[in-house]
Amino acid sequence: MRLTAFAAAALMLPLGAAFAQAPDAAAPPAEAAPPAPPPPTNPPMTGPQVLIQTTMGDIVLQLDSVRAPQSVAHILRQVRSGFYNNSIIYRVEKDFVLQMGSWDANGKGHGWYARPVPLEANNGLKNYKYAVALPRGDDPNGAGPDFYINMRDNLALDRKPDDTANKTGFAVFGEVTPASLPVLQAINEVPVGNGKGPFPASEPQTPIVITKVSVVGDPPPKRAAKPAAASKSTPAKPAAKRAR
């Protein structure tokens, strides 16, 4: 009898365990967790696109000439003049910013444009991840030809809420298009240090050269016309002297 009872008890344990794990048909299904809200972004931007061709791949910027007309016009002047060609991405602060514009791989600057650029940091665009903005010095209207790409949300770089004089923050004038994000992420991971430019500790050890920057849709530049070949002229023979 004891052996039979033990066997019966042993048989009941797995059945009981299985029964305990079976769902209760009368219980309501568990509610799925609500999806996480999408990260905040800037509103859709309207304006031209700029193609940045680099030795690590292409980056396309969507500019906003409606909200940042002065900043966009400033950048387009440099692009169409060829100012950015053969410069480098001279600052890679991982998960912070990528900065570029006016330095080459030898630490030589391309020059500084003194034309004032009115600060447009109060245009409603924010320094969200992948937004593009103008760095500047102490002068609010003193942006140069350089620009930076945010590699995270950098809302501390926006205009201060209590700024009524429009003297704080950095003006966002565009954003990187989604197709370019793999190139950005690859640049974000490169080894840095021992550079020659203004941020030597953050300069990529292998130069990332910006070979060409152009406005998408612009016609190719016209080649200069060759000067007309000078016609070969034979000097006139002197008139024969009349016999006297």
Side-chain angles (χ1 to χ4, degrees):
M1 283 294 294
R2 291 181 182 177
L3 181 58
T4 304
F6 180 82
L11 288 172
M12 288 298 293
L13 284 174
L15 292 174
F19 183 80
Q21 293 172 4
D24 186 351
E31 294 185 4
T41 59
N42 282 311
M45 299 186 182
T46 302
Q49 291 186 337
V50 166
L51 170 63
I52 304 172
Q53 296 172 271
T54 83
T55 49
M56 286 191 65
D58 294 348
I59 302 169
V60 177
L61 308 182
Q62 172 62 59
L63 309 187
D64 194 334
S65 53
V66 174
R67 297 179 180 86
Q70 299 285 346
S71 302
V72 168
H74 169 66
I75 291 296
L76 292 181
R77 280 193 293 267
Q78 323 308 326
V79 171
R80 288 180 168 135
S81 72
F83 180 86
Y84 298 118
N85 299 347
N86 299 313
S87 62
I88 63 169
I89 298 176
Y90 62 82
R91 184 184 186 189
V92 175
E93 300 268 2
K94 185 177 180 181
D95 297 331
F96 178 45
V97 297
L98 310 180
Q99 192 163 324
M100 63 202 79
S102 61
W103 296 85
D104 65 18
N106 297 315
K108 182 180 179 182
H110 281 199
W112 189 265
Y113 280 61
R115 183 186 291 114
V117 184
L119 180 63
E120 295 178 311
N122 61 345
N123 61 12
L125 300 176
K126 296 183 176 295
N127 280 272
Y128 287 132
K129 191 175 184 179
Y130 306 134
V132 187
L134 293 176
R136 60 176 179 81
D138 294 334
D139 180 3
N141 302 319
D146 300 71
F147 54 92
Y148 68 87
I149 299 173
N150 290 286
M151 296 304 294
R152 70 181 185 198
D153 290 347
N154 287 317
L155 301 187
L157 304 181
D158 290 340
R159 181 180 66 93
K160 304 301 181 187
D162 58 351
D163 174 20
T164 57
N166 190 32
K167 292 184 177 181
T168 62
F170 299 88
V172 173
F173 64 90
E175 64 185 0
V176 178
T177 60
S180 306
L181 300 188
V183 175
L184 282 192
Q185 293 300 336
I187 294 173
N188 188 52
E189 300 289 337
V190 299
V192 297
N194 302 318
K196 300 177 182 178
F199 296 93
S202 303
E203 186 173 318
Q205 293 178 3
T206 300
I208 304 172
V209 179
I210 297 172
T211 56
K212 184 180 180 181
V213 181
S214 57
V215 180
V216 176
D218 268 8
K222 295 181 179 179
R223 293 183 179 180
K226 293 183 179 180
S231 60
K232 295 181 180 180
S233 59
T234 304
K237 293 182 179 180
K241 292 184 179 180
R242 291 182 181 179
R244 292 182 179 178

